[in-house]
Amino acid sequence: MAKKKITVLTGAGVSAESGISTFRDNGGLWDNYDPQVVASIEGWRHDPGMLLDFYNLRRAQLKDVSPNAAHRAIAALEEEYDVTVVTQNVDNLHERAGSTRIIHLHGELTKVRPERGVYDNGSFSEQEVFDIGYSAIHLGDKAPNGSQLRPHIVWFGEAVPKIEDAIERVIRADILLIVGTSLQVYPAAGLYRYAKDSAPIYLIDPQDIPLRDPRITHIRAVATEGMEIFKKILENK
Ligand code: APR
């Protein structure tokens, strides 16, 4: 009997209890930095050194945090279900918690790639992406093709190469779980709309989320508590 498919859409809220700040909560990252300056392709063109420093700092901080019980509960779903995690997060906490199929829509902090990709239209091949762990890169650090190394992050103003794969995983899901995202950044925020009519949608977030979709059950809790509630819902299915 094939396992039922669960697709889990996660955002910064799933990593909040690991000590990584979200973006739009009070005191969040975008309260302290302007995303158009430190997380956009225009910002990179204007001052690449500033973006290298911003991502070097976040990459180094990642070494000192750990997955929390929500990451582990999401990974444990794989015992009973065919799970795909579609995350907007660039941290590696889902991997470190044991999830085995993860789509990073917005890139990965521990990875870098050449500024000038192998294809003419500026896109790149996965073979050009390198994992540098928690170390830093600086102006003048070059890829084998001679161009400046840059964070493997999808910046504002750039395409989201993995969105088609993510849509496919939502369409095929028997259950959709959304954890810890304000659903304000597209195309990620529109993914839940691809869920088939028969697929229940559960959303874990301590804040009210202005979605008025009758298919959505809002579990109003932090991720670690919400995952315990979600597991009980699954047990009673
Ligand atoms: N548990 C669950 N959810 C939480 C918790 C928690 N402990 N703490 C906060 N949240 C919720 C907030 O209520 C909010 O709805 O997590 C969500 C975080 O929203 P954002 O800070 O906007 O983060 P996210 O939705 O992931 O942002 C999407 O925006 O700037 C870009 O690329 C960046 O990937 C990011 C994207």
Side-chain angles (χ1 to χ4, degrees):
M1 166 81 161
K3 289 181 177 180
K4 280 197 162 186
K5 293 177 177 58
I6 295 187
T7 294
V8 188
L9 303 181
T10 67
V14 79
S15 298
E17 292 163 271
S18 294
I20 297 182
S21 76
T22 62
F23 295 94
R24 296 174 182 82
D25 287 318
N26 293 336
L29 212 55
W30 297 154
D31 277 354
N32 301 302
Y33 294 94
D34 176 352
Q36 289 312 316
V37 172
V38 295
S40 75
I41 186 61
E42 287 316 311
W44 172 257
R45 289 185 182 126
H46 176 69
D47 185 348
M50 179 184 290
L51 275 74
L52 290 173
D53 292 344
F54 177 67
Y55 286 93
N56 285 342
L57 173 67
R58 290 178 67 195
R59 191 177 307 112
Q61 289 168 340
L62 190 50
K63 179 167 74 275
D64 303 323
V65 297
S66 306
N68 62 56
H71 295 105
R72 288 192 295 275
I74 290 167
L77 290 173
E78 296 187 17
E79 290 153 27
E80 309 262 327
Y81 294 89
D82 176 357
V83 183
T84 301
V85 176
V86 176
T87 187
Q88 299 170 84
N89 298 341
V90 294
D91 64 50
N92 59 357
L93 298 183
H94 282 304
E95 287 85 350
R96 288 163 58 188
S99 286
T100 59
R101 189 190 299 131
I102 304 164
I103 297 172
H104 279 276
L105 285 177
H106 295 162
E108 297 178 69
L109 259 184
T110 60
K111 297 183 179 174
V112 295
R113 70 169 198 263
E115 181 183 18
R116 195 179 59 254
V118 68
Y119 302 119
D120 295 341
N121 64 0
S123 60
F124 56 91
S125 91
E126 285 300 322
Q127 281 67 36
E128 296 180 289
V129 179
F130 306 93
D131 193 321
I132 58 168
Y134 305 112
S135 56
I137 53 171
H138 302 96
L139 283 178
D141 290 348
K142 305 285 188 186
N145 72 0
S147 78
Q148 170 67 47
L149 282 174
R150 58 159 277 179
H152 182 50
I153 299 289
V154 177
W155 284 324
F156 287 106
E158 294 189 305
V160 179
K162 298 193 175 179
I163 192 64
E164 293 305 326
D165 190 2
I167 289 169
E168 182 57 34
R169 294 291 174 179
V170 172
I171 289 172
R172 288 165 46 183
D174 298 307
I175 300 170
L176 187 64
L177 172 63
I178 304 171
V179 189
T181 173
S182 63
L183 294 169
Q184 291 185 40
V185 174
Y186 287 82
L191 276 172
Y192 78 91
R193 296 195 186 106
Y194 288 92
K196 54 193 175 207
D197 289 344
S198 60
I201 303 174
Y202 298 91
L203 184 146
I204 297 173
D205 196 306
Q207 303 291 333
D208 188 23
I209 294 292
L211 289 182
R212 297 294 169 258
D213 185 319
R215 293 177 299 169
I216 295 178
T217 301
H218 183 188
I219 301 170
R220 189 152 185 173
V222 293
T224 52
E225 292 165 16
M227 282 306 299
E228 291 310 304
I229 297 167
F230 179 66
K231 283 188 324 192
K232 288 191 175 46
I233 292 171
L234 291 180
E235 284 156 16
N236 296 327
K237 266 188 161 319

